[in-house]
Amino acid sequence: EMYRLLCNLKIQTRLFLVISIAVTGFFVTASIVLIRDNNAARNAAAFQEIAEMAPVVGLLIHELQKERGASAVYISSKGGDRALRDLDLEKVNTDRALNSFSAAASQKTGGSLSQELKDALAAAQANLTKIPANRQDISSLNSTIEQMATFYTGAIRQLMVIISEMGKLSNNSDITKRFTAYKSFIEAKERAGLERATGATGFGAGRFAPAVYNKFISLIAEQDSYLQTFAENASPASMNYADRTVAGASVQEHAKLRRIALNSITSGSTE
């Protein structure tokens, strides 16, 4: 279904979406491995239950990112049938991740949690209760893409705060570094998703308006910064895995499309 939707877009738009989705997928795969570094923390009972929640939060972030993208397609298509089916399928995945998060959060109320982490959990849960109302606005096309994206991006950012606060609870510098690496990789993945959406806007229009262009280059800079922080804190094994995974023809094609986008400010075209 999504393939047929993409086929209706300009070739540059289609390529940018497909290649960027592939690159974002590499980030997802690699981030799953990164959290395994935290298994060393399991010799500390107080930290164990907190560390175990990190992948649950990460999965919810991932599904919310996907629902944000599917919602953008739905709004852009003005409620097209295929886009609706794709969005409904993604809602099922998000709801499953939400249920897992809610179950895990309900068990994390003990003394091992800092007040900051408790506050972050409460703020995230409060944001997530607004999902049904936002979904209704999207379904009825009463929400713009900008309004929709603002809500989902805010919810995602609040979940990222949880991971940040988790990392602060360890007294082990190596464990703290691994959490920093994991958080940085998730942050880079979030910027990759936003770059995909911003790039699709420019390629779809055949040119990058100044505001879109500035946002595009800002997102690239932020990705680079977070990936640098990841490199400074990840274990050698995780770094090697990331280097092997975020590589290949798709990554090279993505870099090519980036150059076209960056050069469009002088060329005036994305051809």
Side-chain angles (χ1 to χ4, degrees):
E1 299 296 343
M2 184 61 75
Y3 176 78
R4 287 200 290 271
L5 283 172
L6 289 171
C7 285
N8 293 325
L9 301 176
K10 288 184 178 181
I11 182 63
Q12 291 87 355
T13 314
R14 188 160 70 244
L15 282 171
F16 191 86
L17 282 168
V18 172
I19 298 303
S20 297
I21 287 170
V23 173
T24 305
F26 293 144
F27 283 159
V28 176
T29 303
S31 65
I32 292 172
V33 172
L34 299 183
I35 197 59
R36 293 175 184 167
D37 284 336
N38 292 308
N39 286 339
R42 307 240 169 141
N43 57 3
F47 192 73
Q48 177 180 350
E49 62 171 341
I50 297 169
E52 288 174 344
M53 190 178 178
V56 178
V57 179
L59 177 60
L60 180 53
I61 288 172
H62 177 54
E63 297 301 345
L64 286 171
Q65 288 169 331
K66 289 167 59 183
E67 183 168 331
R68 177 178 60 192
S71 297
V73 173
Y74 174 81
I75 295 171
S76 297
S77 70
K78 301 188 185 303
D81 290 341
R82 292 193 294 270
L84 175 59
R85 287 197 293 272
D86 286 335
L87 179 55
D88 284 343
L89 286 173
E90 182 47 46
K91 286 178 183 177
V92 173
N93 294 332
T94 300
D95 287 343
R96 188 179 298 118
L98 274 169
N99 290 337
S100 296
F101 172 77
S102 297
S106 67
Q107 299 171 14
K108 304 296 184 289
T109 57
S112 60
L113 273 66
S114 67
Q115 186 58 50
E116 290 79 8
L117 179 52
K118 291 178 182 178
D119 291 343
L121 282 167
Q125 288 172 304
N127 257 341
L128 296 172
T129 61
K130 300 174 184 177
I131 286 180
N134 278 272
R135 282 177 171 174
Q136 180 57 47
D137 286 341
I138 293 165
S139 295
S140 59
L141 297 177
N142 287 327
S143 177
T144 65
I145 289 179
E146 291 75 17
Q147 290 169 333
M148 174 278 300
T150 296
F151 168 72
Y152 281 102
T153 300
I156 289 166
R157 292 222 54 78
Q158 190 57 57
L159 289 166
M160 289 178 176
V161 173
I162 295 174
I163 295 177
S164 293
E165 292 300 331
M166 286 179 177
K168 296 176 183 178
L169 295 179
S170 172
N171 294 321
N172 183 304
S173 60
D174 286 338
I175 294 172
T176 300
K177 287 184 66 176
R178 300 303 174 258
F179 257 98
T180 299
Y182 181 59
K183 169 68 161 42
S184 297
F185 218 87
I186 290 178
E187 291 277 13
K189 173 178 172 290
E190 169 68 356
R191 298 317 186 279
L194 294 172
E195 179 196 346
R196 182 178 70 218
T198 305
T201 299
F203 279 105
R207 61 181 292 273
F208 279 71
V212 175
Y213 183 84
N214 289 337
K215 182 177 181 182
F216 188 78
I217 60 175
S218 175
L219 289 167
I220 293 174
E222 289 175 17
Q223 280 181 71
D224 290 344
S225 176
Y226 281 119
L227 289 174
Q228 178 62 37
T229 301
F230 159 73
E232 292 169 355
N233 290 277
S235 68
S238 292
M239 196 64 216
N240 289 336
Y241 184 88
D243 287 341
R244 293 197 311 271
T245 305
V246 188
S250 292
V251 175
Q252 293 170 9
E253 186 63 26
H254 178 261
K256 175 183 175 182
L257 290 167
R258 261 190 181 179
R259 287 194 297 273
I260 292 173
L262 294 174
N263 292 336
S264 69
I265 198 70
T266 53
S267 70
S269 172
T270 57
E271 299 295 332

